[in-house]
Amino acid sequence: MIEKQASCEDDGEPLLLPVAEARQRLLTSLQPVCEAVELPLSEALYRVLAADIVSPVDVPPQANSAMDGYALQRTSIPASGERSLQVVGTAWAGQPFTGQVGEGQAVRIFTGGIMPVGCDTVVIQEHVRCRTAPTDGPGLIDIDSEVIAGKNVRQAGEDVACGQMVLPRGRQLHAADIGVLASLGIARVNVVRPLKVAFFSTGDELCALDEHVPGTPLAPGKLFDSNRYTMAALLRGLHVEVMDLGIVRDNESDTRDALLRASADADVVISSGGVSAGDADFVTRVFHEVGQVSFWKLAMRPGRPLAFGKVGQAAFFGLPGNPVAVMVTFLEFVQPALKHLAGMHDLDTPLLPARCLSTLRKSPGRVEYQRGIMRLDEQGELVVESTGKQGAGRLSSMSAANCLIVIASEMDGVQLGDRVQVQPFHGLLPG
């Protein structure tokens, strides 16, 4: 009988590292980048804050009207019935009324106008009877007892108070954050410098798109290099500086040169292919020779052969060669690692419960990430179904999917109607 070695086809393998332990080991071993740069706010989108942002002002700076109407003091509101008030002026947004308003008086006010001295209430124009046209200047209005004291007024500091911590260190700035900072008068921010990430594909069978003559067939045994384009797109979505080292051929010398050259310049080095135990898997061989290996084989599918450790001062990820395994291992390990290195705290995409509309095959012993299409059914319940065959080389299934179905290690398959957990690509895929 042939003595068989452990492989990715085995349901269980005692030496495989559990996914949760690998994630913990990964994040513990990486120290976030400390260097910061100062940027104009207009260039800070998607950058990570290097320090807390504390508001230097109140927003809004003064109490102002939330509606078009009339500003008055609450003592002018009748206890019952109606009351006539004298209109003594107008407060425009940017042009405040400078006088003082007493009981029995009102000021015509527009949205954003500063509340006049003595006023604490705005009654909207639709709830007022005008004795004269509002544009005719001073006149009389009638209000009734249904006016609510203090309504339709934005208080000073209601949105943001002076001295309040607005955005924490480690926050990746999005469009709303940029707007908040602009509203505080903050024109420049300190952000973590962008990570430098080098990447390459390995394999004598690979053909780069820029080396291929359109319309001509590939030589027998050749494949277009999709992994490098996938990795480049994923990295650009994370807003890092990318260093594309191209295709590294299957020999020890070229692999060693690529690893050492990349690790000398980059914070992180990523390869695809060559991390199994075959004779042509030179990445594994060279990494064990020149690097510090933290783990190599994980209890997951796809993605069992995933190498992680250090080469010099750079973190190194040796991803599998299968296209789907490249994407899954990138999303589950490389992406949170890059966020952690950039100082971000929000690393994970939440798992959502869904009812499965497909029967999924799986054996216990590994976490499986299957491609799925999730949607809300007619009752508003989140449901998910498989994209079909789940081979690690079926990259088109990732394009068809909008989520990963995450099946826990201890589960023995999924039956129709079972509850599963899904990771939506919205929020998981960078962008």
Side-chain angles (χ1 to χ4, degrees), residues 116-136:
V117 176
C119 294
D120 60 8
T121 300
V122 172
V123 55
I124 61 175
Q125 59 191 16
E126 293 87 352
H127 292 177
V128 167
R129 182 191 304 125
C130 294
R131 300 283 190 89
T132 55
T135 56
D136 289 346

Side-chain angles (χ1 to χ4, degrees), residues 255-302:
T255 304
R256 182 183 295 104
D257 178 68
L259 270 178
L260 294 177
R261 181 160 46 96
S263 63
D265 296 327
D267 299 299
V268 179
V269 181
I270 308 170
S271 69
S272 69
V275 290
S276 292
D279 292 340
D281 290 319
F282 294 101
V283 173
T284 298
R285 195 176 310 168
V286 172
F287 179 38
H288 279 77
E289 174 192 329
V290 303
Q292 302 170 13
V293 182
S294 180
F295 55 77
W296 176 30
K297 300 178 182 178
L298 302 184
M300 65 182 290
R301 177 181 289 171

Side-chain angles (χ1 to χ4, degrees), residues 11-35:
D11 292 331
E13 185 179 341
L15 296 180
L16 296 181
L17 188 66
V19 168
E21 184 178 340
R23 283 285 298 272
Q24 181 61 36
R25 190 181 297 184
L26 167 71
L27 297 178
T28 301
S29 67
L30 297 176
Q31 295 301 315
V33 169
C34 296
E35 299 101 304

Side-chain angles (χ1 to χ4, degrees), residues 151-219:
K151 194 168 183 182
N152 303 317
V153 177
R154 303 186 186 114
Q155 300 299 331
E158 181 177 283
D159 184 14
V160 179
C162 182
Q164 175 184 338
M165 201 272 281
V166 181
L167 296 173
R169 179 180 181 273
R171 170 78 167 232
Q172 186 181 44
L173 296 174
H174 292 273
D177 303 321
I178 299 295
V180 168
L181 294 174
S183 76
L184 303 177
I186 296 174
R188 302 182 70 84
V189 289
N190 287 315
V191 296
V192 178
R193 70 155 174 83
L195 298 175
K196 298 177 182 178
V197 182
F199 65 100
F200 58 90
S201 296
T202 65
D204 288 340
E205 76 280 11
L206 298 180
C207 176
L209 296 183
D210 54 5
E211 296 176 355
H212 178 252
V213 179
T216 62
L218 284 173

Side-chain angles (χ1 to χ4, degrees), residues 8 16-17 19 275-276 295-307 318-322 324-330 333 366-369 371 392:
C8 58
L16 296 181
L17 188 66
V19 168
V275 290
S276 292
F295 55 77
W296 176 30
K297 300 178 182 178
L298 302 184
M300 65 182 290
R301 177 181 289 171
R304 170 184 174 271
L306 169 61
L319 307 186
N322 286 321
V324 172
V326 165
M327 287 201 73
V328 170
T329 52
F330 187 100
F333 286 91
R366 300 185 192 179
V367 178
E368 284 204 13
Y369 300 86
R371 282 77 77 197

